[in-house]
Amino acid sequence: MSTPTTAEGHLAPRADCLAAGDGGITFDVFGPSAVGAVLVLRRRGGKAPADELRLPLTPPGDGTPARAVLPATAELAEGRWDAYTETGEAVQPGLRDVRVLVDQAPASGPVAVRVPYPTADGRLALRCWRRAPHAEAGDLAFAPEQGAMSVTGVLYGAELGDGPVAQARLRAGERMHEVPVTGEGRAFGFTLPYGPLAEGAKDAGAGKERLWELWLRPAAGAAPMRISRILDDVWDKKSIFVYPKQRIAGHTVAPCYTGDNDLCVRVTPAG
């Protein structure tokens, strides 16, 4: 792959990324020799000192690029981190080898995921999650005759106790619908009927699309956690994971993922 240039003919910096199984990432940086001594990662919208991380760059050698390593032990806050040179120039994405991120199964500690990806305007960024505890969504199944969906998944940093429930919370509202959770240990499952969500969306405001966020409370009195799917190499599932729609009470209803890979149910007035 050739290194792209800017409109002014400047050789744009580019980084190939190699993800490691422990969460670390290696950046091989190509481009102008004066890229600087560090690769800068900056959290989008962040203003605190912890929202910038400066990774030392080893100098390029004979036929080898400059290299920076993001160690697995580095704590990056959840969000989107853009890559820059030391002089503030945006780094463009090169090859991204993220095969080890597929079907991850963290052993212990907070779930920390970093996925390098190309932004819509052609820059290199990392999508980072840090969850403790975490409810990872797995397979979704559908029962059109019952007007319902079923979800299975795995808990990290928590186990099911007495009285676990799944919660559908209407975004930007105070409505909530709960259903019991089955399973044992870290494995969970539940069936969510669509009828109450369609009726709740209708009561909350006619003619508007509504999102119900899905949460899991592992035991009575425990803090609920957001149900998401982040343990793979897909940084934005919103337009990739598309599920069948059902018509319920004058609405179309279907599960979806947000741009942050959080699981929701979308309710839209039919027609």
Side-chain angles (χ1 to χ4, degrees):
M1 177 186 296
S2 60
T3 302
T5 59
T6 65
E8 295 78 18
H10 172 68
L11 198 61
R14 169 178 61 86
D16 292 347
C17 300
L18 175 63
D22 62 358
I25 298 178
T26 298
F27 301 88
D28 284 343
V29 183
F30 302 83
S33 57
V35 293
V38 296
L39 178 70
V40 181
L41 300 179
R42 190 173 299 139
R43 191 163 74 96
R44 204 172 299 170
K47 298 180 180 179
D51 292 324
E52 182 174 289
L53 183 64
R54 300 169 69 87
L55 302 175
L57 270 171
T58 59
D62 185 14
T64 62
R67 173 169 290 180
V69 177
L70 173 66
T73 53
E75 294 188 5
L76 297 183
E78 186 159 324
R80 299 177 188 271
W81 292 70
D82 297 303
Y84 298 93
T85 66
E86 189 174 17
T87 58
E89 185 175 6
V91 176
Q92 298 189 359
L95 299 175
R96 289 172 292 113
D97 187 344
V98 293
R99 290 171 291 178
V100 299
L101 300 181
V102 179
D103 297 327
Q104 298 178 77
S108 61
V111 173
V113 179
R114 297 91 170 261
V115 183
Y117 73 97
T119 66
D121 57 356
R123 295 176 292 109
L124 175 64
L126 296 182
R127 181 60 177 95
C128 299
W129 288 270
R130 187 173 179 83
R131 304 279 174 93
H134 169 58
E136 176 75 3
D139 293 334
L140 275 60
F142 305 94
E145 68 282 357
Q146 300 174 8
M149 62 177 282
S150 295
V151 180
T152 59
V154 178
L155 296 175
Y156 292 91
E159 292 189 353
L160 294 180
D162 295 330
V165 296
Q167 301 172 337
R169 301 180 182 181
L170 185 60
R171 180 179 286 186
E174 297 181 354
R175 293 175 179 270
M176 183 171 67
H177 180 66
E178 292 186 344
V179 294
V181 167
T182 60
E184 185 176 356
R186 293 168 52 213
F188 69 85
F190 61 89
T191 297
L192 179 66
Y194 286 154
L197 308 189
E199 290 296 332
K202 181 175 66 176
D203 295 341
K208 297 180 180 179
E209 177 182 283
R210 300 286 175 170
L211 276 179
W212 293 80
E213 300 177 343
L214 299 189
W215 295 69
L216 189 139
R217 191 188 70 197
M225 65 191 82
R226 194 73 169 85
I227 301 175
S228 309
R229 187 165 182 170
I230 59 177
L231 294 176
D232 56 29
D233 62 342
V234 183
W235 65 91
D236 186 348
K237 296 179 173 65
K238 187 174 183 179
S239 58
I240 297 176
F241 283 43
V242 180
Y243 296 101
K245 299 177 181 178
Q246 296 184 37
R247 184 157 179 160
I248 307 289
H251 292 73
T252 57
V253 184
C256 64
Y257 283 98
T258 68
D260 293 323
N261 288 357
D262 296 327
L263 185 59
C264 292
V265 175
R266 177 181 287 115
V267 180
T268 307

